[in-house]
Amino acid sequence: MTEISQDMLDMGTRARAAANLLASATPKAKTQALMAAADALDATRADVLAANAQDMVAGREKGLSSAMLDRLLLDDARIDGICAALRAIAAQDDPVGAVMAEWDRPSGLHIQRVRTPLGVIGVIFESRPNVTADAGALCLKAGNAVILRGGSESVHSSRAIHAALVAGLRAAGLPEDAIQLVQTTDRAAVADMLRMVEHIDVIVPRGGKGLVGLVQREARVPVFAHLEGICHVYVDVAADPAKARAVVVNAKTRRTGICGAAECLLLHRDIVNTLGAEIIADLAAAGVELRVGEGLQHLPGTTPASPDDFGREFLDMILAVAVVDDVAGAIAHIQRFGSSHTEAIITEDDSAAAEFFARLDSAILMRNASTQFADGGEFGLGGEIGIATGKMHARGPVGAEQLTSFKYLVTGNGTVRA
């Protein structure tokens, strides 16, 4: 087995030492660090925008898709959003030390289950530079050190944002090694992180299917991950037409390159030529390429779907569309083709919604709302380190609380066991 590089081992050693200090850092210090980081980012936005411009030029030269370029792009509004997210995370209750449950035993013991940091988190991401801030802030809030490894596409942007985070740590007197950014773009650093079991407690990949699949196959460190965001929207026979038309168009077109973008539309058979036709027309007018299954190919603006269009993450202005007989048919389709990320039902029928919620096991289920809300910031978490679709420990938008484990604090009074 290839040895882990000395540079990465040194980063891991420093991260573990920082994590040991952060475990007892005060909530005030962590809040101060995040607020100062937001201020530093705001003050250096010209530098951040200049760095991002470099990444955008390189991205266009590499031939990145429009969706990938959109993920990469920073402007004043997006920097404002990153600053707001840092401040929102700062304002949240500190999860470390929170009592999850407590009880007394007949033996005289008092037992508390309290939240505790995970330790060191490794985050591997591709083209979204805001992940640098979100991941760094959430890990810090939960008392964890973090090693960030961004993709080559966002290298300059990530370095500029990371500098603001380090300035925040420095201002609060917290260890600067608490948030480290891997400086090399060599892919060997990723392989190293996946094997650093003595230095990293969990890996979080943020990126496409190729990256996440690699991490899940190769990691010896535990992983919080989702492979793809194959999100479905089912329009029921009892859907409100105005709600359905607004939600479907937003779910697909607001931002096509995010994991919460709708990739498949399911229409109840009885609405195909009424509300369904109107939704198809709305999407076509918005510029969406509609790849449709049987029973829909007579509608204008559509092309026949190929078998592999279902269960596919397009991350583009392309949508697969299928007809189903009822909510049970929609559930069966999602169970076959979904990725356990986010699904939505548009209906005014409480029983249909209840069946959809009960029988599907995706991380996020929505009713009469756009799948584009599958986002930690929109959930009130300030930001997210990712959307986890597994069932162990973390699920859905992973915020600071899910970046903790727990321990038991047991108090007696000279208590001995009989």
Side-chain angles (χ1 to χ4, degrees):
M1 181 179 292
T2 304
E3 290 188 3
I4 297 169
S5 75
Q6 190 59 50
D7 285 347
M8 292 305 298
L9 289 174
D10 288 345
M11 288 187 78
T13 299
R14 297 198 307 272
R16 181 65 70 195
N20 290 338
L21 294 173
L22 286 181
S24 58
T26 65
K28 182 179 179 181
K30 289 184 279 184
T31 297
Q32 181 184 351
L34 293 173
M35 294 297 286
D39 292 342
L41 183 61
D42 191 19
T44 59
R45 69 171 58 221
D47 296 334
V48 177
L49 290 172
N52 184 248
Q54 287 182 268
D55 290 332
M56 292 296 291
V57 169
R60 292 188 188 98
E61 290 175 350
K62 285 183 181 179
L64 294 184
S65 69
S66 58
M68 291 295 285
L69 288 170
D70 178 64
R71 287 185 175 201
L72 179 59
L73 176 67
L74 292 176
D75 54 22
D76 277 314
R78 289 188 178 180
I79 292 177
D80 287 343
I82 296 172
C83 292
L86 289 170
R87 294 180 176 117
I89 295 167
Q92 291 176 351
D93 291 339
D94 194 303
V96 179
V99 178
M100 303 166 67
E102 61 183 318
W103 61 96
D104 293 305
R105 296 292 296 147
S107 60
L109 296 179
H110 180 69
I111 302 173
Q112 293 179 312
R113 185 189 301 131
V114 302
R115 294 197 179 279
T116 188
L118 291 172
V120 178
I121 297 174
V123 182
I124 303 168
F125 60 100
E126 292 181 328
S127 60
R128 293 183 67 177
N130 65 294
V131 174
T132 307
D134 285 354
L138 289 166
C139 289
L140 177 64
K141 186 71 173 184
N144 301 294
V146 61
I147 298 174
L148 301 163
R149 199 282 185 181
S152 58
E153 300 88 354
S154 61
V155 59
H156 299 99
S157 307
S158 295
R159 286 173 181 168
I161 293 170
H162 176 251
L165 297 176
V166 172
L169 292 167
R170 191 182 304 120
L174 293 176
E176 294 180 24
D177 289 331
I179 304 175
Q180 296 183 67
L181 179 69
V182 177
Q183 296 298 314
T184 179
T185 58
D186 189 336
R187 292 187 178 182
V190 173
D192 286 346
M193 289 176 69
L194 302 183
R195 294 183 285 114
M196 289 170 58
V197 292
E198 295 182 5
H199 302 86
I200 297 176
D201 295 289
V202 66
I203 291 282
V204 182
R206 286 284 302 268
K209 185 176 183 179
L211 169 67
V212 180
L214 168 72
V215 169
Q216 291 182 318
R217 288 192 306 272
E218 303 294 336
R220 293 176 58 196
V221 178
V223 177
F224 293 166
H226 74 269
L227 269 177
E228 296 175 283
I230 304 171
C231 303
H232 294 77
V233 179
Y234 165 57
V235 183
D236 186 47
V237 68
D240 176 281
K243 293 178 187 177
R245 293 176 70 175
V247 167
V248 172
V249 171
N250 182 267
K252 178 68 247 183
T253 68
R254 175 187 163 270
R255 288 187 69 184
T256 57
I258 64 173
C259 61
E263 303 290 15
C264 183
L265 172 65
L266 303 174
L267 298 172
H268 190 289
R269 187 170 301 281
D270 292 351
I271 65 166
V272 165
N273 293 313
T274 52
L275 176 58
E278 292 176 344
I279 293 171
I280 293 291
D282 291 341
L283 290 164
V288 178
E289 179 183 335
L290 296 152
R291 301 181 183 179
V292 302
E294 293 182 8
L296 294 165
Q297 295 172 11
H298 64 287
L299 294 175
T302 65
T303 58
S306 63
D308 64 357
D309 284 327
F310 298 101
R312 182 173 173 185
E313 187 179 37
F314 297 106
L315 297 174
D316 203 347
M317 287 286 275
I318 304 170
L319 185 67
V321 190
V323 176
V324 294
D325 290 333
D326 50 23
V327 66
I331 290 166
H333 183 104
I334 293 167
Q335 288 173 335
R336 178 180 177 187
F337 294 106
S339 60
S340 299
H341 192 292
T342 300
E343 331 295 348
I345 180 173
I346 315 301
T347 189
E348 299 304 302
D349 182 341
D350 290 345
S351 62
E355 183 177 0
F356 191 85
F357 279 12
R359 292 182 55 197
L360 284 172
D361 197 33
S362 297
I364 304 170
L365 297 168
M366 298 181 168
R367 177 184 182 184
N368 295 338
S370 170
T371 56
Q372 298 259 342
F373 283 107
D375 175 88
E378 294 297 329
F379 276 39
L381 305 180
E384 67 183 36
I385 200 169
I387 304 278
T389 55
K391 297 183 182 179
M392 299 300 290
H393 189 79
R395 201 153 200 234
V398 179
E401 186 175 279
Q402 291 199 75
L403 295 176
T404 62
S405 183
F406 58 82
K407 59 187 175 185
Y408 292 95
L409 305 183
V410 183
T411 303
N413 185 24
T415 310
V416 297
R417 185 170 178 179

